[in-house]
Amino acid sequence: DAGVIQSPRHEVTEMGQEVTLRCKPISGHNSLFWYRQTMMRGLELLIYFNNNVPIDDSGMPEDRFSAKMPNASFSTLKIQPSEPRDSAVYFCASSRGTGLELFFGSGTQLSVL
Amino acid sequence: GDSVTQMEGPVTLSEEAFLTINCTYTATGYPSLFWYVQYPGEGLQLLLKATKADDKGSNKGFEATYRKETTSFHLEKGSVQVSDSAVYFCALGGSQGNLIFGKGTKLSVKP
């Protein structure tokens, strides 16, 4: 199994630009999670989906952030417009069911200048 | 709401030293408890877990026991190696089906 695949691994952009992060979960997993990791705030849950439906998006910091899961094998996290304080590592994770082991991707290192 | 508190790092140890990383939790009911490890430049991966009180999770020489009476899940290893240098996260299974993580503890093991 290829594991959770995230792209890009690194993204450098300028303030105000749109950023799209992509995630392909493990086949057969029906829950997908987006986390953000920073030194100051640690690991924060942004949003998670179950069977492609958003269950809890209370962690999405503001309206500039949006996430979609159009099918069981693909999800995106979009930031528009991006700001320097969005700089962080963004992780996608998937699991088979809820409350079970999460499998993490390698993350996207985002730098907004 | 549910939360996890783990000891602040960084923790620096010499090879073969004993390791303890404290973790306590607040939750309704009896959630599953987890320890995840993150090596430099990588995502988190499950180290061990326990699903009910008095369960002991173990893997790669690491152990943690689910203590309901003290709401704790401390991570221990009898003899650490340089290769154990990483960030360790305690987590609990939330009532909404997500995982709630502590802030992480960075461990550095010196030869």
Side-chain angles (χ1 to χ4, degrees), chain A residues 50 53 66 68 83 92:
Chain A
N50 187 242
V53 176
S66 63
K68 294 182 179 179
E83 297 183 2
C92 176

Side-chain angles (χ1 to χ4, degrees), chain A residues 34-68:
Chain A
W34 282 101
Y35 284 88
R36 177 172 69 177
Q37 186 178 37
T38 61
M39 290 291 292
M40 291 298 295
R41 302 174 68 91
L43 201 61
E44 303 172 277
L45 176 65
L46 301 177
I47 185 171
Y48 76 97
F49 297 84
N50 187 242
N51 294 323
N52 311 338
V53 176
I55 302 300
D56 183 359
D57 65 355
S58 59
M60 296 286 263
E62 45 197 277
D63 291 345
R64 297 184 298 105
F65 285 68
S66 63
K68 294 182 179 179

Side-chain angles (χ1 to χ4, degrees), chain A residues 99-112:
Chain A
L100 302 179
E101 177 182 356
L102 264 62
F103 292 80
F104 282 76
S106 297
T108 295
Q109 174 79 58
L110 173 64
S111 297
V112 183

